[in-house]
Amino acid sequence: MYQALYRKWRPRVFEDVVGQEHITETLKRQVSDGRLSHAYLFTGTRGTGKTTCAKLLARAVNCEHPVNGSPCNCCPACKGIESGAILDVLELDAASNNRVDDIRALMDEAVYTPATVKKRVYIVDEVHMLSTQAFNALLQILEEPPEHLMFILATTEIHKVPATIKSRCQQFSFKRIHADGIAARLRYVAEKESIDLTGEGAQLIARLADGGMRDALSLLDQCVGSGGTVDEERIFGVLGLAGNVETAAMLECAARGDAPEALERLDRLYRGGKEMTALMGELAALVRDLLVRKTAPQAGPALMTGGYDEGTMRRLAGQFDTLRLVQMLSLLQRTNADLARSANRRTDAELCLMMLCDPTLDESPAGLSARLSRLEQGGVPAAVPGAVKAPEGKRTEPAAGSDAPVSVAEAPAPVAQAPAAEKKRPASPKAAVPSAPAADGVRWPGWPAVCEALRGTMEMSDFSFVGNDAMCQGRCEGDAVTLWALNDFIRDMLDRPAITAKVAETLRGMLGAAVRVSVKTGEAPADRVAPRTAVPAAPAEEEDALEAFLADAGSNIIVE
């Protein structure tokens, strides 16, 4: 008779348990030293080894010849417990034996010494499902248990276990197993079972298992049933993940702002029997994976759910920036939470899709941040209030307090001084007041111009801090440039080599000189301006020259 892989390959010694070395080493040492507790509480998510370790511990404490704390699996005690022939080791399911009468019956049996082994062991699975009265009855025997008695309690919801029970047990927390550990175990099982499993397929199943070894072995068992090589393509087909193509297509509609096509796809899925809650959950998982990929590109693959192929992830990741993904994930999470109490789930899902396609419909703070990010990426409109206009070919800069971009076109050479015989007037450039000089006398182009030069040269997540005027302002101070941050958090985000080195490199190209870049917290001072310099006039004509200079300046500077 065929036996499922997760049952056939259940660990028979502590060394075979994957990813829980912090627990197995402790249990082995306790068995070797004889320092055993009367009650243990194993907690953790499904498929992480709680029941397996409980059975191993029950055999180890009764084993006649333990090997380094692990059961030998050869003595009559180990064989009898493993086959279920020895009734002194009993496994109970608290989900179906949760009444107080069930616990009282257990207490009546527990007072008797074991017949064939050293300790009577009770393994109570899903102990959090016991009733309050049953917990109180269990507490009585946990307070003063007989020498021959041991309890091993297992639960996935530790917060439902009373503190009075937890305080009388040694508690061990089982963590989710890392995807690399699961993949290695899958390859070992596949080799022993002569299964043609590729490395990419093992990694995909490990990510889909979400930290549970039992889930991973069950998925492998399901994929093997179709025959042939177990690779990524076969896994997607067998597990029904090909439907995720529709989910990815809906997200591409959101990237294009194509709400009609997104609604048509939603209608097809709805008529095909797709639950709206499941669809919103799949969309949220996909957006979450894209956000992880952008935020942690190195560790991303290990953190992803694994429901999508690499080509789809790469294509989608290039269509969204970080703030947009945060807005979309927040919206999907809110919608998914509200669907449970919704009167019309389809309508709520359609509204969510419309807001995904058009961020202007989302009035939340995340939606506002996404719209500001889109404006920053699209550039600043040509007509900016407060900008200074100058004749063509002249250098222009924004008026004081304005965030308008700066034109860096070269200005023509200044007008030569008139001959002495003519009325002398100081020559002046017909443009705005020049900004503060930088290193070696080179003009500081202004922080908006530096931001424009930085756009596209660094990661969007970094530029979202540097290019946001509300978060960061750059100021020139001699041969140094200071980035003034709004608060300490933004200062820490700016004060990284990935940002400061890029700003210094960009300024070197703009100014032609090396500039030091530092980061401070506080309000940025106003840009210092260099004083106007005029051609000195003759003493006899000083008053006329001043009047002419002021008239010339007023006629060439236009402020809207």
Side-chain angles (χ1 to χ4, degrees):
M1 181 178 178
Y2 180 76
Q3 191 175 24
L5 290 179
Y6 80 87
R7 294 183 59 198
K8 183 177 181 180
W9 290 96
R10 183 189 293 272
R12 303 184 71 240
V13 292
F14 283 118
E15 288 78 7
D16 289 342
V17 179
V18 179
Q20 311 296 347
E21 291 78 9
H22 62 294
I23 295 175
T24 56
E25 290 298 325
T26 303
L27 294 179
K28 287 165 57 179
R29 184 173 294 277
Q30 288 187 358
V31 173
S32 299
D33 298 344
R35 301 175 62 86
L36 295 166
S37 174
H38 67 280
Y40 292 87
L41 178 60
F42 293 165
T43 70
T45 57
R46 69 184 191 280
T48 53
K50 300 184 299 297
T51 306
T52 295
C53 285
K55 292 182 176 181
L56 289 175
L57 181 60
R59 293 207 304 270
V61 299
N62 290 305
C63 181
E64 298 176 5
H65 310 289
V67 181
N68 296 327
S70 290
C72 68
N73 297 316
C74 297
C75 65
C78 288
K79 290 182 178 180
I81 294 173
E82 192 171 17
S83 64
I86 297 179
L87 301 180
D88 292 319
V89 176
L90 183 63
E91 183 177 356
L92 298 176
D93 181 16
S96 55
N97 299 277
N98 55 4
R99 300 174 305 165
V100 64
D101 293 338
D102 298 323
I103 301 300
R104 285 175 178 168
L106 182 148
M107 293 171 57
D108 293 340
E109 297 175 0
V111 297
Y112 298 106
T113 58
T116 57
V117 292
K118 292 180 287 186
K119 279 187 176 291
R120 182 184 292 272
V121 182
Y122 287 99
I123 301 173
V124 185
D125 203 5
E126 302 299 334
V127 70
H128 64 273
M129 301 192 72
L130 290 178
S131 64
T132 303
Q133 294 78 8
F135 270 125
N136 291 334
L138 181 63
L139 182 63
Q140 295 179 9
I141 196 169
L142 285 180
E143 286 180 335
E144 296 181 1
E147 286 290 332
H148 62 267
L149 190 62
M150 175 185 287
F151 281 95
I152 305 177
L153 314 178
T155 178
T156 56
E157 301 183 38
I158 184 61
H159 58 280
K160 294 184 179 180
V161 179
T164 51
I165 298 291
K166 290 189 286 188
S167 64
R168 289 168 171 81
C169 302
Q170 285 192 13
Q171 183 175 337
F172 292 90
S173 179
F174 287 71
K175 60 185 180 181
R176 281 187 170 88
I177 307 173
H178 197 273
D180 291 340
I182 295 178
R185 180 67 174 177
L186 289 176
R187 289 193 294 269
Y188 173 79
V189 172
E191 181 182 354
K192 296 296 183 182
E193 293 286 328
S194 300
I195 299 173
D196 189 5
L197 174 65
T198 64
E200 293 77 10
Q203 286 290 341
L204 177 57
I205 293 178
R207 294 197 298 270
L208 292 173
D210 193 25
M213 181 60 71
R214 183 175 62 239
D215 291 2
L217 290 171
S218 297
L219 291 174
L220 177 61
D221 212 354
Q222 182 177 350
C223 294
V224 170
S226 64
T229 302
V230 182
D231 54 10
E232 287 184 317
E233 183 178 356
R234 181 169 297 277
I235 294 170
F236 277 115
V238 173
L239 300 183
L241 297 177
N244 288 359
V245 175
E246 284 290 331
T247 307
M250 294 177 70
L251 207 60
E252 291 192 52
C253 293
R256 299 192 304 267
D258 191 353
E261 183 179 348
L263 293 176
E264 289 177 5
R265 291 182 178 275
L266 176 65
D267 180 65
R268 286 200 298 270
L269 293 173
Y270 180 79
R271 286 188 280 107
K274 186 73 171 182
E275 283 290 336
M276 294 296 99
T277 303
L279 177 60
M280 293 296 105
E282 292 173 5
L283 280 172
L286 176 54
V287 175
R288 179 256 179 199
D289 282 356
L290 292 173
L291 185 59
V292 169
R293 184 187 179 95
K294 277 189 170 293
T295 306
Q298 300 299 327
L303 301 176
M304 293 182 188
T305 58
Y308 299 86
D309 60 273
E310 179 63 21
T312 300
M313 296 297 293
R314 188 185 304 110
R315 185 175 67 255
L316 289 173
Q319 301 184 40
F320 301 99
D321 58 34
T322 303
L323 288 177
R324 179 83 163 98
L325 290 173
V326 170
Q327 177 259 334
M328 296 172 70
L329 186 56
S330 301
L331 175 60
L332 287 166
Q333 291 288 85
R334 292 199 308 270
T335 303
N336 215 6
D338 294 339
L339 285 179
R341 52 182 180 274
S342 172
N344 192 327
R345 297 183 179 181
R346 179 182 180 181
T347 302
D348 286 351
E350 290 172 340
L351 287 174
C352 178
L353 274 184
M354 294 178 189
M355 285 189 281
L356 288 177
C357 295
D358 186 1
T360 60
L361 299 176
D362 187 4
E363 299 179 352
S364 66
L368 178 61
S369 298
R371 295 199 295 273
L372 289 175
S373 176
R374 173 180 289 186
L375 288 176
E376 291 175 353
Q377 291 181 14
V380 183
V384 181
V388 178
K389 290 185 177 179
E392 185 176 354
K394 303 293 184 179
R395 180 184 181 91
T396 60
E397 297 199 11
S402 172
D403 292 332
V406 179
S407 171
V408 293
E410 292 294 335
V415 180
Q417 185 175 347
E422 299 178 8
K423 185 176 182 179
K424 295 182 179 180
R425 293 174 53 184
S428 62
K430 299 181 179 181
V433 178
S435 60
D440 302 329
V442 180
R443 295 291 181 189
W444 164 246
W447 181 241
V450 178
C451 290
E452 286 299 316
L454 287 169
R455 188 187 303 276
T457 64
M458 59 172 58
E459 293 290 337
M460 183 54 64
S461 57
D462 294 337
F463 186 76
S464 61
F465 291 97
V466 177
N468 191 329
D469 291 340
M471 297 182 182
C472 172
Q473 285 284 332
R475 292 292 182 263
C476 178
E477 301 173 0
D479 61 345
V481 170
T482 303
L483 305 184
W484 290 91
L486 178 65
N487 51 45
D488 291 339
F489 170 74
I490 298 176
R491 180 199 62 197
D492 294 339
M493 297 302 296
L494 292 172
D495 196 8
R496 294 182 289 123
I499 292 181
T500 55
K502 180 59 67 175
V503 172
E505 178 184 347
T506 302
L507 286 171
R508 177 191 291 271
M510 298 178 70
L511 302 177
V515 177
R516 293 180 292 105
V517 178
S518 60
V519 184
K520 296 181 180 180
T521 304
E523 184 176 356
D527 262 333
R528 295 175 299 167
V529 297
R532 286 184 181 272
T533 57
V535 179
E541 299 173 342
E542 182 175 355
E543 183 175 355
D544 292 339
L546 179 60
E547 292 177 357
F549 173 77
L550 294 175
D552 182 64
S555 63
N556 286 284
I557 299 179
I558 304 173
V559 179
E560 292 185 350

